[in-house]
Amino acid sequence: MSAAAESSLSVSLWRDRRFRRFWAGQSISQFGDRITELALPLIAVGALHASAPQVAWLTALIWAPNLLAIVLGAWVDHRVHKRRLMVLADVVRAAVLLSVPAAHFLDVVTLGQLYVVALLMGAAGVLFNTAYPPFFVRLVPRSSYVDANSKLSTSRSASYVAGPAVGGALVQALTAPVAVVVDALTFLASAVLVGRVSIDESPAAHDRAAASSLLRRAREGLVFVVRHPVLRASLGCAATVNFFTFVAGNGLIVLFASRNLGLTAGVIGMAFGVGATGSLLGAALAPKVSRRFGVGRSIVVGAVLFPAPIALVAAASGPL
């Protein structure tokens, strides 16, 4: 594609009010997510004196709803109004988050409540993420997919770099419960912006012909993935890497940094932000590395290097 054509695509998205609203909503909620990822474990560790297993459960419950993603995806696929589902997911996440500072200020917050919050947040996130792809393809022209994904990915990477630092500063200055309120407001902002994005959601022919049952469609999707050699290998790799990475997930690192190393919320957030700069470096190097060594080999090397730096945490001072 020529430089002039690429420029034209970029300008068209910048002038597309619908995409700008959607992009703004996603960017705002991404930054809010980074705040909560730091604030919830700090509430558990600081206010409720949670143990390492309890913090691990908090992290696990956020991701547990992903186990139902294939069933939920089959259900979402045959729902006509994907935008409504995305708005609903944002509103649910905002309401669930607001329950935490409310309970904290009434001095009735418990670990059980945080577990429920984590589970509902995860479920709403899965609902949003399964409705997102079909909504995206109706919002963005096929010729602008790469450009649109680049903009959304840039916002996501920026949230991982700046979000934890901002979140740590908010927690330190305003306390963790108030920081959670900020995240809830970002979801409400996302709901408003996404709700104002008008797209044609008229059902396609295959949407109207939903003859098979929900479980049958889910099973067919799973069978397709398992029988596809590339998808099967990718799923196995991602599942393995993610499982062992989450064993030492953010929640346990926050626990270790706060309780054993005595670091403040601001310093912990800054550490996460500095660490996330690697995602920007990886995005910049990935095209050159894949061209030189091949996509497959690059994925294999990346799958090993991605979790390897977690071992460096063992070199930090403090109890073994």
Side-chain angles (χ1 to χ4, degrees), residues 156-176:
R156 178 178 172 82
S157 296
S159 77
Y160 276 101
V161 175
V166 173
L170 283 174
V171 170
Q172 191 164 328
L174 304 175
T175 73

Side-chain angles (χ1 to χ4, degrees), residues 230-249:
V230 176
L231 293 179
R232 182 177 64 247
S234 299
L235 177 62
C237 175
T240 305
V241 170
N242 285 335
F243 176 82
F244 289 101
T245 299
F246 291 146
V247 168

Side-chain angles (χ1 to χ4, degrees), residues 36-105:
T36 296
E37 286 170 3
L38 185 63
L40 278 186
L42 283 174
I43 293 173
V45 172
L48 302 175
H49 310 291
S51 64
Q54 289 171 330
V55 174
W57 272 110
L58 187 63
T59 303
L61 287 171
I62 294 176
W63 293 98
N66 284 275
L67 297 174
L68 300 176
I70 191 167
V71 176
L72 187 59
W75 178 81
V76 169
D77 184 51
H78 283 76
R79 304 279 76 76
V80 175
H81 301 291
K82 306 297 192 296
R83 180 182 59 178
R84 292 181 184 177
L85 295 177
M86 296 168 70
V87 171
L88 174 63
D90 276 339
V91 171
V92 168
R93 287 186 282 190
V96 167
L97 283 175
L98 286 174
S99 73
V100 175
H104 184 272
F105 291 130

Side-chain angles (χ1 to χ4, degrees), residues 210-271:
S212 57
S213 67
L214 175 63
L215 291 178
R216 180 178 178 181
R217 295 198 304 271
R219 184 172 63 251
E220 290 172 350
L222 180 60
V223 169
F224 175 78
V225 171
V226 170
R227 290 180 177 177
H228 194 289
V230 176
L231 293 179
R232 182 177 64 247
S234 299
L235 177 62
C237 175
T240 305
V241 170
N242 285 335
F243 176 82
F244 289 101
T245 299
F246 291 146
V247 168
N250 286 1
L252 289 180
I253 293 177
V254 168
L255 172 66
F256 178 66
S258 175
R259 184 168 295 170
N260 296 109
L261 303 183
L263 301 181
T264 64
V267 174
I268 296 173
M270 185 65 69

Side-chain angles (χ1 to χ4, degrees), residues 251-299:
L252 289 180
I253 293 177
V254 168
L255 172 66
F256 178 66
S258 175
R259 184 168 295 170
N260 296 109
L261 303 183
L263 301 181
T264 64
V267 174
I268 296 173
M270 185 65 69
F272 278 118
V274 170
T277 56
S279 63
L280 294 177
L281 180 62
L285 294 178
K288 293 182 180 179
V289 171
S290 61
R291 283 196 298 268
R292 180 170 182 177
F293 300 104
V295 175
R297 292 179 180 176
S298 300
I299 292 175

Side-chain angles (χ1 to χ4, degrees), residues 1 9 12-13 19 132-153:
M1 182 180 293
L9 288 178
S12 67
L13 285 181
F19 177 77
Y132 170 91
F135 178 86
F136 177 86
V137 298
R138 289 179 180 267
L139 173 66
V140 179
R142 182 181 295 272
S143 59
S144 298
Y145 281 178
V146 174
D147 188 30
N149 276 313
S150 175
K151 287 177 169 56
L152 291 164
S153 297

Side-chain angles (χ1 to χ4, degrees), residues 2 5 24 32 74 114 121 127 168 170-171 180 197 210 222 230-231 256 284 311 313:
S2 67
L114 293 187
M121 286 288 293
L127 175 61
L170 283 174
V171 170
V180 171
V197 176
L222 180 60
V230 176
L231 293 179
F256 178 66
V313 175

